[in-house]
């Protein structure tokens, strides 16, 4: 199988396949398409979140190049879907993100600096504030799926109808057993969960076609007796509509409706898998072209422009505000200091004696040899 | 020799008032209205589940065949009838799903008790256990604990088919963030299970199925905790300390009695908690006798026997008068049942090794 | 969810759903149905294998009651499908069975006594003869699926076009991650494997409806881009036809055909899950009724009778021969003796020193204390 | 001190003639036509794969991103170009599928070398490894071995994200039927990998990614085996024996040099094979020095350090002059990277513990 040629073909076919779309590639509302009911303020806020996401991504990549953060997974091209899905959540809903869902996390309440903290090696960014319903990012692929399902199931069993759970994962994740087991449970127990498959066409170097022979990822839902929808993931309005509907159904299903939904949000990974990855080794840039013409930021801008909402002045204000927020976040993240005792904290609710003694030992060693002795493990 | 019943009584007293006598659980325990009654280990597990489910409605039981069927060993017998299908839940056949779902249930505020039908079938869920349940508290900086129990029958000796006799407690004990316990008596089964369910952290609860129905013992009807992390000295002795757990406790005690007739006085320590280990009790016993042995079913290499022996030599080398012997399963898969008695430690093998240790 | 009421309903719906059928409930060929091309001898041999399977099952259950074998998983009601699927194999094809597929193993070459050996605790029954292409039975559910797929893939990669691989599993197995991963690989790499899902409606006490919300199990194949067929698993001729076709396709796919197939063989577990199980705890007998009326042995007998092949005399000969073979097999199995040294054999191709020493130690102990000291681990 | 290069040379000689010089592998190693050349550890892995694939066409490589991309660490760099998509196979993202498929490939007569992208992601495949690959030979009474290698980078120190720095070799070493090896030098990487690929049994091949590119060493171009099951004495000494493996070998050797200046003479044994353990070399070294320590990255409790210490006290208690110390990861998940240097053993910690051991 030749990955490149297939991908090359595949934006052609992708574009033809049935998927929910509201905006055309320039941001005009497609004939017959119905816009979601969002106020001007909401639309502008969503746009600002998109701009923030794009700038954050650019900045994070450059921070990584400077050695100020570790390996980073960019989201350019995918931020439209991230922002829109999180906008569609109610505050009480829970979000299970992956390592790539920076914007989704931020929109649902995580501070920008907390996104950077783990990239600087601190778990502060995983220590979600009490009033934010966002789980730490999941790195082992697909493992969040049964957990998100389980949390949603728990809310249902407890009669807490005010919580739905949204679970993100990639196209690659659909090949893992945990995807299968999680979706199957969701169907059997009819739980209020929304699965969002961010199909960016690549799992590192593995193209979507090599992940599975099924035509779409959405249709996999059928095997679990749950509903699915395929949406243009570069169209923030379409994503918002699809997600909002799934969230509604999860919490207040109609007569013959099931609670869970699988959303396949069809996107493209514009850039590298992570800052350690070099996509030129395994793909050429052609497929990206098609998608780049449908850039979610530009498209929403076009839409707002068409509605007369996006003046130059407003753009300038947004850019400045975004710049400032990112700057502050970096400062905050860079101010975090290492606390070696943290290694031993929270392993258990109560620290076992053996661990206490290990902590003592490390304290003694630091006293005796100084922190410099720990500054670098030899390569 | 510290009376086992005494220990239990102490714990019951320490626990204070339970939720009062219960009349609705006749199917689980045919209650003598006046007080406690003798249960087998598997009945005590069921009783423990029952009394915690009654006390705390966040406790749910889930797994394969735990509902209507009451579990393949009847460990959840009659719970379905008592608590209904929303609290005693038959799941699809998918262990990663079961444990992953349990993590999610715990995150939502419940206290799931998952059953894995046999330890040999826990491996599909290994990732959820060692990569997630174990570290949710530390990765979230303390915000999210995962108060859940994963119960599973383990060990050999019941003439079961392939993959039904595994004893791989060492896998779990090597993972920081998990607790691992196993009872050797009915009363401990209930008390440890109660403590496990109430514990804020994930507990792997291993049930020695060989002794599921081996004997009965008085098990208080009131809920009570046997604290996690505390070993029990089952027989006091002065010549050699033997550390064991689960189903191996009985042959060890038998070997100890045989050796007593030869004038060798064994101390038998039932660890109960395999993680965290009760190093204090282990080392204290060893300091007294200066000789030690470990009995477990699992393969020798990399088994918990190694951890115990190493801890002892770290803490009490100057007391050590003989090599610490390991009487364990061999470094081979446990065979199909015609040969399993040759694989598992039994009294003769234990006896022989202990004599050697004392005579060293 | 009330398991009983659902199952009660479900034979009604089951019967209506589309599934390949050749014989009606009495063994008459359905109008328009095409019989597979099997000679009289082949048909009679198949029938004899069915009778053998039925008698073996009865006998094994009684041996277990007498304590002469350990826990046994009966196949009554399912032997029609087992025999027919194995009949459809070519000799060079490989079979991956479960703990319930006694008849399938036997028809593909395993001796009857080797079926009994593991039940008596000896691995002799797992030590498949060199000229028999049957793997030892798989007990951990669904784990054989990626392995069978991998073996088939290996044959394809090596250009060995004379081997297909048949992999059995139950309805419960479809919920495991390994089912998903194995079928997905089969689709992506287009390997010569035939997956046979023996949907006997129960996974121990769990009814098919609680396993998954998908309407049929066959349709799960869609999620992997592979073909599937649903067949009346109590109709040996229909099963034979479906399987034979799948085997052909695996080894010699036509222009637009994929190699792998998922066959859902719709059956019913007439008896207990195993001899340790008491189904009356979780199901009533009603659903079974519908299926018992379609008993595969009777149905094939009816068919042969209709073709004038089954005289009373022949029935008597068959019964006597079957009886005798089972008797001999039991004698053989009961003659196997324990060899404790076997514990240490074949752990590795070459025995490590540590294991050699453990073997020595056991030999010494046996010498010192006699085998009686090992006769029973204390309960 | 036995020269490491000598050892390699011996093995090469013992292996006899290889398949002759190769000219087509320039992308993997820019061959100096006249002889061997210096490779990093990860290049040596790639070279080992290359030379075995060339020698034996049954060898196939499969995993996530091993093909076109050449592996996320480039361990399979250029193999796709050299051998084509049927021998260097990009799989779907599914570890149980990868290992389960590999078992099947081995059963069909091939010699699969599967890559798991990081050790932290092997757990979905744990069942296929410990319940199947490990026991196929014994359950089939010897008919079916599973000659396969499962490679995976392991260990910390490279500032990787969560779940990318695990060191859980003890899980695999406790399973009879599996072999577990890890190299600490480029030449060993190629030789052990070659032996692993040729071995008739499944081998878990752990690659210490911290030293993937840490240094270069002459690696013969001819295929050669470093036999499984044999430890290497990296530094001879008389005062204390230190047992270690993988990336921890280097800080241990550094600590040993530091201690030499204080007049303490350490023997450093690189185990290389973690299962089966080379107990003879371990015990022999200990008998000579009477003092010992183990250095590993994995959490202390239940780590392989315990097995080594216990084996020593079983075989050589009478030589033992001090407790055997374990310098290891703590009983906590390895932290995110800002703190990992505090978690992993490094020279100062090793130094400190060894001095204590000698002064005991
Ligand atoms: C279980 C597991 N296996 C392998 C990896 C290594 N890995 C990290 S990201 C990735 C690709 C994921 O692809 P996809 O699910 O499509 O998500 P994307 O990165 O494209 O957003 C892989 C293989 C992992 N993190 N977890
Ligand atoms: C991984 C795993 N989990 C649990 C079990 C215990 N178990 C044995 S058979 C069975 C039910 C299997 O149902 P199904 O797949 O429908 O096959 P059937 O027994 O009906 O033929 C279960 C849960 C097992 N053997 N393996
Ligand atoms: Mg992707
Ligand atoms: Mg079934």
């Amino acid at each position: 199988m030749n990955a490149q040629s297939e991908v090359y073909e595949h934006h052609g076919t992708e574009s033809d396949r049935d998927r929910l779309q509201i905006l055309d590639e320039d941001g005009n509302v497609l004939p017959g398409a119905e816009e979601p009911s969002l106020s001007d303020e909401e639309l502008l806020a969503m746009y600002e979140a998109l701009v923030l996401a794009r700038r954050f991504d650019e900045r994070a990549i450059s921070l990584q190049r400077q050695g100020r953060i570790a390996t980073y997974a960019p989201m350019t091209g995918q931020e439209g879907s991230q922002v829109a899905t999180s906008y569609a959540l109610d505050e009480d809903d829970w979000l299970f993100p992956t390592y790539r869902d920076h914007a989704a996390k931020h929109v649902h309440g995580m501070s920008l600096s907390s996104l950077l903290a783990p990239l600087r090696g601190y778990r502060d960014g995983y220590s979600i504030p009490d009033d934010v319903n966002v789980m730490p990012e999941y790195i082992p692929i697909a493992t969040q799926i049964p957990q998100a399902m389980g949390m949603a199931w728990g809310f249902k069993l407890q009669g807490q109808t005010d919580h739905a759970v949204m679970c993100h994962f990639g196209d690659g994740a659909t090949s893992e057993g945990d995807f299968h087991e999680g979706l199957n449970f969701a169907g059997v127990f009819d739980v209020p969960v929304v699965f969002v498959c961010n199909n960016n066409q690549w799992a590192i170097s593995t193209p979507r076609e090599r992940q599975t022979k099924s035509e779409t990822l959405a249709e996999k839902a059928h095997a679990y007796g749950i509903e699915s929808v395929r949406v243009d993931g570069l169209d923030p309005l379409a994503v918002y509509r699809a997600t909002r509907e799934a969230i509604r159904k999860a919490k207040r299903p109609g007569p013959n409706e099931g609670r869970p939904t699988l959303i396949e949000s069809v996107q493209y990974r514009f850039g590298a898998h992570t800052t350690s990855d070099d996509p030129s080794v395994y793909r050429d840039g052609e497929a990206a072209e098609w998608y780049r013409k449908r850039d979610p930021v530009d498209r929403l801008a076009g839409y707002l422009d068409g509605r007369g909402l996006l003046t130059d002045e407003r753009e300038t204000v947004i850019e400045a505000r975004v710049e400032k927020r990112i700057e502050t976040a970096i400062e905050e993240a860079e101010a975090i200091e290492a606390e070696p005792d943290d290694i031993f904290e929270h392993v258990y609710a109560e620290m076992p004696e053996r661990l206490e003694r290990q902590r003592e030992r490390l304290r003694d060693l630091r006293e005796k040899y100084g922190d410099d002795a720990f500054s670098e493990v030899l390569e | 020799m510290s009376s086992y019943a005494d220990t239990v009584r102490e714990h019951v007293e320490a626990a204070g008032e339970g939720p009062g006598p219960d009349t609705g659980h006749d199917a689980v325990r045919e209650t003598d209205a006046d007080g406690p009654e003798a249960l087998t280990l598997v009945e005590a597990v069921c009783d423990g589940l029952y009394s915690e489910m009654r006390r705390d409605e966040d406790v749910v039981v889930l797994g394969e065949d735990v509902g209507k069927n009451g579990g393949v060993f009847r460990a959840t017998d009659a719970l379905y009838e008592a608590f209904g299908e929303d609290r005693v839940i038959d799941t699809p056949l998918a262990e990663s799903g079961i444990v992953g779902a349990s993590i999610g249930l715990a995150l939502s505020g419940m206290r799931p008790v998952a059953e894995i039908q046999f330890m040999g079938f826990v491996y599909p869920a290994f990732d959820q256990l060692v990569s997630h349940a174990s570290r949710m508290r530390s990765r979230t900086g303390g915000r999210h604990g995962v108060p859940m129990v994963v119960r599973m029958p383990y060990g050999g000796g019941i003439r079961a088919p392939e993959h039904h006799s595994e004893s791989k407690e060492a896998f779990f004990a090597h993972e920081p963030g998990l607790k691992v316990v196993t009872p050797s008596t009915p009363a401990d089964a209930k008390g440890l299970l109660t403590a496990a369910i109430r514990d804020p952290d994930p507990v792997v609860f291993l049930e020695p199925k060989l002794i599921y129905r081996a004997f009965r013992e008085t098990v208080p009807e009131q809920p009570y905790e046997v604290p996690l992390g505390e070993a029990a000295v089952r027989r006091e002795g002065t010549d050699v300390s033997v550390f064991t757990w689960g189903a191996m406790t009985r042959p060890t005690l038998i070997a100890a009695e045989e050796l007593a007739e030869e004038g060798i006085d064994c101390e038998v320590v039932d660890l109960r908690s395999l993680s965290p280990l009760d190093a204090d009790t282990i080392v204290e016993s060893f300091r007294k006798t200066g000789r030690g042995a470990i009995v477990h079913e699992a393969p020798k290499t990399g088994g918990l026997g190694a951890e115990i022996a190493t801890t002892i030599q770290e803490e009490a080398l100057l007391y050590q008068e003989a090599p610490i012997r390991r009487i364990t399963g061999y470094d081979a898969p446990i065979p199909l049942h015609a040969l399993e008695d040759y694989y598992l430690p039994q009294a003769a093998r234990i006896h022989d090794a202990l004599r050697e240790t004392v005579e060293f």
Side-chain angles (χ1 to χ4, degrees), chain A, chain B:
Chain A
M1 180 189 285
N2 181 319
Q4 259 152 26
S5 69
E6 280 187 327
V7 170
Y8 182 58
E9 276 162 38
H10 115 157
H11 60 83
T13 40
E14 275 298 335
S15 65
D16 298 337
R17 276 190 211 131
D18 185 37
R19 50 186 155 171
L20 182 69
Q21 203 179 327
I22 291 176
L23 299 178
D24 74 8
E25 61 178 83
D26 300 318
N28 306 310
V29 177
L30 286 166
E34 204 188 319
E35 302 157 60
S37 51
L38 287 162
S39 68
D40 291 353
E41 289 67 36
E42 285 171 321
L43 285 166
L44 279 168
M46 201 190 258
Y47 177 70
E48 181 159 343
L50 272 171
V51 174
L52 177 69
R54 181 64 53 93
R55 297 290 165 265
F56 180 87
D57 218 47
E58 290 160 358
R59 196 59 196 276
I61 293 169
S62 113
L63 287 174
Q64 193 280 331
R65 298 247 159 82
Q66 297 162 44
R68 288 161 71 187
I69 62 172
T71 309
Y72 173 77
M75 56 185 165
T76 293
Q78 307 189 228
E79 62 283 80
S81 189
Q82 289 192 25
V83 166
T85 48
S86 278
Y87 255 92
L89 295 178
D90 296 316
E91 200 182 331
D92 281 342
D93 297 333
W94 274 84
L95 182 72
F96 281 68
T98 76
Y99 47 84
R100 199 183 299 287
D101 299 308
H102 319 286
K105 287 162 83 169
H106 177 58
V107 171
H108 202 47
M110 294 293 291
S111 73
L112 281 182
S113 68
S114 77
L115 303 182
L116 292 168
L119 298 166
R120 291 188 47 80
Y122 301 103
R123 77 169 166 220
D124 299 55
Y126 287 177
S127 312
I128 314 291
D130 274 350
D131 57 348
V132 175
N133 288 354
V134 177
M135 290 298 293
E137 67 197 42
Y138 280 74
I139 287 177
I141 302 296
T143 54
Q144 69 275 28
I145 300 176
Q147 294 179 30
M149 185 287 303
M151 185 197 264
W153 188 15
F155 292 138
K156 181 183 172 190
L157 288 171
Q158 293 169 90
Q160 296 190 31
T161 51
D162 47 345
H163 295 294
V165 177
M166 171 171 291
C167 180
H168 284 278
F169 49 87
D171 44 309
T174 63
S175 296
E176 287 278 8
D178 270 358
F179 165 84
H180 178 71
E181 301 191 12
L183 267 74
N184 193 44
F185 271 61
V188 168
F189 298 109
D190 192 35
V191 311
V193 64
V194 177
F195 300 112
V196 181
C197 179
N198 298 299
N199 174 8
N200 64 3
Q201 315 297 340
W202 294 91
I204 309 186
S205 72
T206 309
R208 153 60 192 91
E209 287 65 30
R210 162 127 313 191
Q211 272 317 324
T212 181
K213 230 183 161 176
S214 79
E215 282 211 28
T216 69
L217 301 178
E219 72 198 55
K220 288 179 184 278
H222 198 63
Y224 314 109
I226 68 184
E227 283 162 42
S228 63
V229 52
R230 219 160 168 264
V231 61
D232 179 344
L234 291 82
D235 176 345
L237 297 190
V239 173
Y240 178 84
R241 166 177 289 287
T243 315
R244 191 67 208 149
E245 173 60 12
I247 289 285
R248 196 251 336 129
K249 190 160 70 88
K251 289 190 279 199
R252 283 168 293 281
N256 283 314
E257 278 182 334
R259 284 184 176 79
T261 307
L262 169 64
I263 298 176
E264 179 186 355
S265 175
V266 183
Q267 307 163 21
Y268 197 81
R269 201 191 73 209
F270 286 12
H273 169 69
T274 66
T275 47
S276 316
D277 176 50
D278 173 9
S280 73
V281 176
Y282 53 80
R283 70 179 196 190
D284 59 34
E286 281 184 80
E289 285 302 285
W290 190 89
Y291 287 96
R292 277 188 195 279
K293 278 199 219 112
R294 287 152 182 81
D295 185 302
V297 186
D298 297 346
R299 239 155 124 193
L300 194 61
Y303 172 71
L304 295 177
D305 204 28
R307 288 185 53 164
L309 291 172
L310 207 59
T311 57
D312 278 359
E313 188 196 18
R314 208 180 295 238
E315 282 265 36
T316 317
V317 171
I318 288 176
E319 288 286 354
R321 199 153 50 202
V322 156
E323 205 58 41
K324 177 113 192 293
R325 291 189 52 210
I326 293 174
E327 217 46 64
T328 313
I330 295 170
E331 272 164 34
E332 280 168 26
E334 292 194 329
I336 302 173
E337 273 175 33
E339 181 37 80
D341 271 8
D342 277 354
I343 292 173
F344 308 92
E345 294 294 333
H346 306 304
V347 180
Y348 297 94
E350 220 173 297
M351 194 179 297
E353 202 190 306
R354 186 173 269 215
L355 209 51
E356 259 174 37
R357 283 165 62 183
Q358 294 179 2
R359 184 179 58 184
E360 281 322 303
R361 176 89 188 146
L362 178 57
R363 284 180 184 162
D364 290 349
L365 284 166
R366 287 171 61 207
E367 189 137 320
K368 196 158 159 192
Y369 295 96
D371 276 309
D372 279 355
F374 296 87
S375 69
E376 206 157 334
V377 174
L378 252 151
E379 267 221 23
Chain B
M1 194 192 312
S2 89
S3 151
Y4 181 66
D6 286 350
T7 323
V8 172
R9 213 164 299 127
E10 273 168 39
H11 291 313
V12 173
E13 279 157 21
E17 282 299 277
D22 158 46
T23 50
H25 193 208
D26 294 356
V28 174
R29 63 189 291 157
E30 277 130 44
T31 312
D32 175 322
D34 299 355
E37 172 237 14
L39 300 183
T40 62
L41 195 149
V42 68
E43 286 166 350
V45 166
C46 191
D47 195 54
L49 291 170
Y50 178 80
S51 61
E52 281 307 288
M53 291 186 80
R54 204 162 141 267
R55 202 185 58 85
D56 178 355
E57 63 173 23
D58 288 336
V59 178
V60 291
V61 162
L62 70 161
E64 296 155 13
D65 309 295
V66 297
K68 271 210 165 164
N69 195 34
V72 293
F73 285 105
R74 322 235 67 77
T76 55
D77 196 27
L79 297 179
Y80 181 86
E81 290 71 19
F83 298 103
E85 62 175 12
D86 278 350
R87 292 190 62 202
V88 186
I89 307 170
D90 281 321
T91 65
L93 209 177
E95 288 76 13
S96 188
I98 292 168
V99 175
S102 296
I103 293 172
L105 289 166
L107 291 172
S108 84
M110 309 198 79
R111 295 202 166 240
V113 182
E115 175 176 305
I116 297 293
Q117 213 162 70
F118 288 84
M119 185 192 249
F121 308 135
V122 72
Y123 303 124
F126 201 65
D127 193 29
Q128 289 290 348
L129 272 165
V130 304
S131 302
H132 293 280
S134 63
R135 61 174 82 182
M136 193 61 79
R137 180 181 297 285
S138 71
R139 71 196 294 263
T140 62
R143 176 163 175 198
H144 293 296
V146 175
M148 81 182 194
V149 178
V150 182
R151 297 176 39 242
M152 59 193 104
Y154 87 103
I158 65 156
R159 309 281 174 265
E162 207 192 1
H163 298 286
H164 284 70
S165 301
E166 325 304 299
S167 183
K168 292 289 174 62
E169 59 278 12
F171 286 155
F172 302 104
H174 186 44
E175 189 63 49
L178 295 180
K179 295 183 178 181
V180 186
V181 300
T182 184
S184 75
T185 72
D188 266 13
K190 177 168 176 173
L192 284 171
L193 183 57
T194 304
I197 293 172
R198 295 180 188 177
D199 198 87
D201 289 308
V203 181
V204 174
F205 191 83
L206 304 175
E207 299 172 6
K209 58 180 177 292
L210 175 61
I211 54 170
Y212 256 161
R213 297 188 168 81
F215 58 98
R216 292 180 175 275
E217 184 183 52
T218 296
V219 174
E221 192 177 333
Q222 300 276 21
Y224 59 94
E225 292 186 47
V226 171
L228 309 185
E230 291 186 12
V233 178
R234 295 293 182 209
R235 184 187 197 285
E236 288 186 9
T238 52
D239 296 334
V240 56
S241 302
V242 199
F243 306 100
T244 189
W245 53 89
M248 293 299 101
T249 308
R250 297 188 77 219
T252 303
L253 283 166
I254 288 167
E257 292 310 323
E258 289 169 7
L259 285 162
E261 284 167 29
E262 299 178 23
I264 295 172
D265 191 16
C266 303
E267 177 142 315
V268 177
V269 181
D270 170 9
L271 293 185
R272 301 197 292 202
S273 274
L274 306 180
S275 176
L277 278 176
D278 183 354
D280 288 349
T281 300
I282 293 169
V283 171
E284 194 186 311
S285 174
F286 188 83
R287 286 211 168 116
K288 185 171 70 176
T289 62
R291 292 167 198 268
I294 297 115
V295 182
H296 65 59
E297 297 181 51
K300 181 177 195 169
T301 297
L304 277 183
E307 182 57 45
I308 295 159
T310 302
T311 299
I312 290 172
Q313 67 87 37
E314 280 169 351
E315 310 272 324
L317 179 66
L318 298 180
Y319 297 79
Q320 190 171 349
E321 291 167 33
I324 299 165
R325 289 288 297 272
R326 293 183 279 177
I327 304 107
T328 68
Y330 299 112
D331 287 325
I334 182 165
L336 294 190
H337 71 258
L339 295 175
E340 69 178 335
D341 292 340
Y342 289 97
Y343 181 93
L344 296 170
Q346 15 53 23
R349 237 174 103 195
I350 299 168
H351 182 129
D352 192 78
L354 293 183
R355 200 192 303 110
E356 270 187 24
T357 302
V358 173
E359 285 167 3
F360 180 84

